[in-house]
Amino acid sequence: MKVNGIPTRTIRPLADALAVEIIDQTALPHDYRWLRLASLRDAAHAICSMQVRGAPLIGVSAAYGVALAMVQGDDDATLLAACETLAATRPTAVNLRWALTRMRKRLLPLARSARVDAAWQEAASIADEDVEQCRQIGCHGLRLLRSATSTRRPLQIMTHCNAGWLATVDHGTALAPVYAAFDEGIDVHVWVSETRPRNQGLLTAWELAQHGVPHTLIADNAAGLLLRRGDIDAVIVGADRIAANGDVANKIGTYLKALAARASGVPFYVAAPRSTIDFACPSGETIPIEERAADELRVVHGRDRAGQRGQLRQLAADEAVVNPAFDVTPASLVSTLISERGCCPASDQGLRRLYGEELHA
Ligand code: MRU
């Protein structure tokens, strides 16, 4: 995707192989700035604090975190401790564990002297594969969008959170079909829900604006009205973990959109790559739901009239708050899953049809 007209990925290793750079997503949409991560600690902090976020990007960042740890020490204990530290940063997006398992399997059998180079190469492969998979999700999703298209123009898409370019290395998951449609000349408009409390919808609005895609921000609570009165042709969201039966964990509020979409007869699509599917997890009930700090609800961040970044406390520090970061949408509410391999029903059979040969290998 382009930022200020320049093709850009969300994460990039530096030429000296001693650090990576990321876009600091906590500074967006006000400031576009790059942050240097030079240690395992930096990488773990970036994931925990959501300087990098979005399931696929968390996985890639963790892989680079392992590479950074290997620069600091290439022994088994360092490798295993790095994987443990990174795995503990965020619990719901399975892409994180998927990437760490892959790094560990690749590096552990190697001689210590070969590990640093191999770690950088493996992390780069994971990043490249993510780009290609998201591109393919875009192609498969585009076919769905063409068929979901009513005669009305523009095509009205609703999304939730940020499952775009910023949440991956490039293209995005839920937004990849939208970008593909826009680039093909389809007249498309995106309804972007704010996604309290972290407001990832603001990131979606920012990246859609960078690409020139028409969009409108709504409060989360407006989604039901828009769906009910027939303003939306399709809802597309991403996922942080898809269980073997097709249940989908995604950003808190996704479930409400799925319910409203079903009640309004609007298709509800979920787009995600292989690294988001957890075949070891039988159903959504066993997906761990991240509980985040209460202050994410009590304190809002932004800019004041003078343009200075700042915080505003809207609730007293002792106000009781619960802040689950994800919810689970049952497979029965998902119209279709879109992956890099194609589209399938959100079900055990559907997923096995796409990935069966890998499961039996
Ligand atoms: O808490 P976040 O911002 O990391 O959550 C992100 C989401 O829930 C996205 O919808 C999901 O990761 C899909 S990413 C392409």
Side-chain angles (χ1 to χ4, degrees):
M1 294 289 116
K2 291 182 180 162
V3 180
N4 303 326
I6 302 164
T8 309
R9 285 183 173 193
T10 53
I11 186 164
R12 56 191 186 206
L14 295 179
D16 59 8
L18 292 174
V20 290
E21 280 187 332
I22 55 150
I23 297 171
D24 180 358
Q25 299 197 25
T26 59
L28 289 172
H30 301 296
D31 299 307
Y32 170 61
R33 66 175 183 225
W34 286 81
L35 210 63
R36 181 184 161 94
L37 310 180
S39 64
L40 166 68
R41 208 172 140 186
D42 289 351
H45 173 72
I47 298 170
C48 273
S49 65
M50 296 176 65
Q51 288 168 331
V52 284
R53 44 146 302 281
L57 182 58
I58 291 173
V60 172
S61 305
Y64 277 116
V66 172
L68 292 168
M70 292 290 87
V71 173
Q72 291 168 313
D74 53 21
D75 53 293
D76 288 6
T78 303
L79 172 58
L80 296 174
C83 290
E84 217 171 288
T85 301
L86 290 159
T89 51
R90 295 197 72 191
T92 304
V94 75
N95 312 57
L96 177 68
R97 280 155 200 279
W98 174 90
L100 291 171
T101 303
R102 182 163 153 178
M103 293 298 284
R104 201 175 50 238
K105 282 189 178 160
R106 173 78 183 97
L107 300 178
L108 256 188
L110 297 181
R112 286 178 58 176
S113 59
R115 283 183 179 168
V116 173
D117 284 350
W120 285 102
Q121 278 163 21
E122 194 67 8
S125 300
I126 293 173
D128 289 345
E129 286 166 30
D130 185 64
V131 174
E132 178 52 19
Q133 290 178 350
C134 288
R135 194 190 64 75
Q136 287 168 0
I137 286 172
C139 297
H140 296 302
L142 173 60
R143 277 194 284 279
L144 266 186
L145 287 190
R146 284 197 200 113
S147 63
T149 305
S150 57
T151 46
R152 171 176 56 168
R153 282 291 186 276
L155 177 63
Q156 301 287 351
I157 304 292
M158 178 180 282
T159 191
H160 186 58
C161 191
N162 172 261
W165 164 77
L166 282 167
T168 64
V169 179
D170 205 349
H171 303 292
T173 55
L175 292 191
V178 173
Y179 288 125
F182 178 81
D183 290 345
E184 191 180 76
I186 293 177
D187 189 8
V188 62
H189 171 266
V190 185
W191 296 91
V192 179
S193 57
E194 194 182 19
T195 318
R196 276 277 289 154
R198 292 288 304 207
N199 295 327
Q200 288 94 332
L202 275 55
L203 303 175
T204 297
W206 181 83
E207 65 161 271
L208 288 172
Q210 288 293 330
H211 202 76
V213 181
H215 59 278
T216 305
L217 195 83
I218 53 167
D220 297 318
N221 290 336
L225 173 75
L226 267 62
L227 283 157
R228 179 84 188 160
R229 71 182 183 198
D231 291 352
I232 310 296
D233 294 310
V235 180
I236 313 183
V237 299
D240 289 80
R241 193 183 300 221
I242 300 177
N245 71 344
D247 288 349
V248 172
N250 192 49
K251 181 51 54 190
I252 192 82
T254 303
Y255 174 47
L256 282 176
K257 286 198 171 55
L259 284 170
R262 173 59 55 90
S264 311
V266 175
F268 183 87
Y269 301 129
V270 175
R274 167 67 187 90
S275 52
T276 303
I277 303 165
D278 186 356
F279 284 103
C281 192
S283 78
E285 275 163 47
T286 49
I287 297 177
I289 300 294
E290 179 178 12
E291 192 74 47
R292 290 191 64 88
D295 269 359
E296 288 188 351
L297 265 125
R298 295 188 188 120
V299 178
V300 290
H301 298 255
R303 279 198 165 168
D304 64 18
R305 287 210 178 95
Q308 295 301 310
R309 287 178 67 84
Q311 302 182 353
L312 197 66
R313 172 168 290 284
Q314 43 173 29
L315 273 177
D318 62 354
E319 187 65 52
V321 160
V322 63
N323 185 17
F326 299 93
D327 60 25
V328 175
T329 298
S332 59
L333 292 178
V334 178
S335 311
T336 301
L337 292 177
I338 310 167
S339 90
E340 75 284 357
R341 296 234 177 146
C343 297
C344 73
S347 65
D348 179 63
Q349 295 92 319
L351 287 168
R352 281 177 182 276
R353 203 181 73 215
L354 287 188
Y355 293 102
E357 109 259 335
E358 186 188 315
L359 291 174
H360 295 124

